[in-house]
Amino acid sequence: MDVDETAQYNDSNRAFLQAFLARGSLTFKEARPILAAIFTAYEGKQTRPQDVSEGDFNSYVSAANDAISPFDLSIRSTLSQHDRTRIYALVNTTSDPITQLATTHTADEISFLKRLLDAMFETFNTTQQEVMAINSMQAVRLHKPSGGRLNETQNGSATQESEGQGLTMVGAEKMLKDLVQEGWFEKSTAGFYSLSARALIELEHYLLSTYNVMDEDEEMDERERRQDKVKLCAACKEIVTIGQRCPKKNCPCRIHNICTEGLFKAQNAKRCPSCKTQWTGADFVGEKAVTTTEAYLRGRRRSGAGGGPRQPGGRGRREVVEADEEEEESDAEEEE
């Protein structure tokens, strides 16, 4: 279908925007049946999803952007870190996305979310292993604040509430499912939770300002003082939580898997764009930083005996049961 870009904003545009608002994010593939249904209803003749062109979709996105811009909203896009699918997300350009979540979640749930982010970008994001993901067991263990203390990031800003009782383990599991259903988290087949493309678009400023800081030691040069936990792709300049890293541990160069081919295409030999070290393609960012290790694979082989695989920061099943029992006993004593 050909869309007249000069046409007046009408009910079909409003229907598309309403569908976008309900979902939070869209791909062209997901938008085609939506637009087909809108065109069918608005024009009174059958339109099939395959009849909807990318030009149709782009024109409706552009019209929606013009309509929502006075309300400090914008539709932005990024490429999926898994493939080259372009994902469009609705972003509030003024308020903190974490604050926006408070309209649909309790204070304890927001506090839990912040602890999950701290775990992803601090605890499980080290020089040795940049995982930036968390498995179910590790996540549920964060259901309560650690001793009621503030958890400070590198720049000293508190990212965890000092008050509140936290969540029950069941409540934490439900919150994880809600975050996946709402499009903030995605869960891999290996059971790791990580930020979705939509979350990376909306939380980009929060992540960069919270976890990337300058060391206060003025005797160090500027490069040494930078402590960037959240790194950008050397090719597309967007956040990398799934991809490859330079084999040289102290080199900050990171590249999305989907960006490596284009970046190295003109090179005779694959070398790091930053330090010129030979690029192996076997040094990973994301859950593969864990799942490709011998320790993880050995744990997987043993898991048939009933002791699940161990992962950084995780515990065996028996330890978790014992820890849970101890926690319940402690809580009971406090109530008495």
Side-chain angles (χ1 to χ4, degrees):
M1 175 184 174
D2 293 326
V3 176
D4 181 2
E5 294 187 7
T6 63
Q8 185 178 2
Y9 191 85
N10 55 43
D11 287 342
S12 67
N13 298 102
R14 296 184 186 93
F16 174 74
L17 180 55
Q18 192 170 32
F20 207 134
L21 288 168
R23 289 163 177 77
S25 64
L26 275 178
T27 63
F28 172 53
K29 182 179 179 180
E30 293 168 341
R32 293 182 89 177
I34 296 172
L35 284 172
I38 291 172
F39 293 161
T40 297
Y42 186 69
E43 298 180 349
K45 62 180 181 180
Q46 184 67 34
T47 301
R48 300 172 300 173
Q50 56 266 38
D51 295 330
V52 178
S53 69
E54 195 159 357
D56 295 334
F57 174 60
N58 289 336
S59 69
Y60 270 74
V61 169
S62 178
N65 252 332
D66 290 341
I68 63 180
S69 60
F71 305 100
D72 298 322
L73 295 173
S74 175
I75 296 175
R76 298 178 182 173
S77 69
T78 188
L79 293 177
S80 166
Q81 294 186 96
H82 302 286
D83 52 40
R84 298 200 68 82
T85 301
R86 184 159 291 279
I87 299 169
Y88 296 78
L90 193 69
V91 178
N92 190 309
T93 58
T94 55
S95 66
D96 181 356
I98 300 292
T99 303
Q100 296 171 40
L101 280 169
T103 61
T104 55
H105 293 283
T106 67
D108 283 332
E109 288 173 336
I110 299 300
S111 180
F112 175 60
L113 171 59
K114 290 181 178 180
R115 291 195 294 277
L116 292 177
L117 293 176
D118 287 345
M120 288 179 180
F121 293 97
E122 289 279 359
T123 310
F124 303 120
N125 181 21
T126 66
T127 302
Q128 296 303 314
Q129 278 191 327
E130 294 183 5
V131 185
M132 285 181 276
I134 188 168
N135 64 34
S136 299
M137 187 181 299
Q138 294 162 348
V140 171
R141 297 293 298 179
L142 298 173
H143 68 111
K144 289 187 177 181
S146 177
R149 292 180 291 106
L150 283 171
N151 184 14
E152 294 188 349
T153 57
Q154 292 181 13
N155 63 2
S157 62
T159 61
Q160 175 177 318
E161 297 296 332
S162 58
E163 298 179 355
Q165 298 300 311
L167 303 175
T168 63
M169 288 189 172
V170 172
E173 290 176 347
K174 181 181 181 302
M175 181 62 175
L176 287 169
K177 290 179 181 178
D178 288 344
L179 290 169
V180 172
Q181 291 176 352
E182 293 168 9
W184 293 97
F185 281 10
E186 55 187 21
K187 186 179 181 181
S188 71
T189 54
F192 284 85
Y193 292 92
S194 60
L195 291 184
S196 66
R198 173 199 175 182
L200 289 173
I201 293 174
E202 293 216 43
L203 296 174
E204 179 180 13
H205 180 266
Y206 174 85
L207 296 175
L208 293 175
S209 62
T210 302
Y211 301 108
N212 288 4
V213 297
M214 292 286 287
D215 193 286
E216 295 181 358
D217 188 352
E218 295 183 357
E219 295 182 0
M220 302 166 64
D221 62 42
E222 184 174 343
R223 185 171 180 176
E224 291 177 331
R225 289 174 63 194
R226 288 209 65 83
Q227 298 182 33
D228 291 349
K229 287 286 191 175
V230 182
K231 298 180 177 66
L232 305 182
C233 175
C236 69
K237 309 304 179 186
E238 295 187 0
I239 292 176
V240 179
T241 59
I242 300 172
Q244 300 173 22
R245 62 182 295 180
C246 178
K248 194 174 179 181
K249 295 295 186 184
N250 63 347
C251 178
C253 187
R254 305 294 180 267
I255 308 174
H256 290 120
N257 294 323
I258 60 174
C259 294
T260 54
E261 183 178 353
L263 186 65
F264 294 127
K265 192 173 184 179
Q267 297 185 14
N268 294 326
K270 293 182 178 180
R271 295 193 176 277
C272 172
S274 179
C275 70
K276 307 307 177 184
T277 299
Q278 185 72 32
W279 196 272
T280 66
D283 298 272
F284 300 108
V285 174
E287 66 180 66
K288 288 183 75 174
V290 172
T291 59
T292 56
T293 62
E294 179 57 33
Y296 179 87
L297 296 173
R298 190 166 54 246
R300 294 280 292 178
R301 289 192 290 269
R302 289 202 305 263
S303 65
R310 289 178 180 271
Q311 297 159 11
R315 307 187 184 189
R317 291 175 185 167
R318 180 177 298 177
E319 288 176 272
V320 170
V321 171
E322 291 174 351
D324 290 349
E325 289 175 349
E326 290 175 3
E327 185 174 15
E328 289 175 1
E329 291 174 1
S330 176
D331 290 345
E333 289 175 1
E334 290 178 4
E335 290 177 2
E336 291 178 1

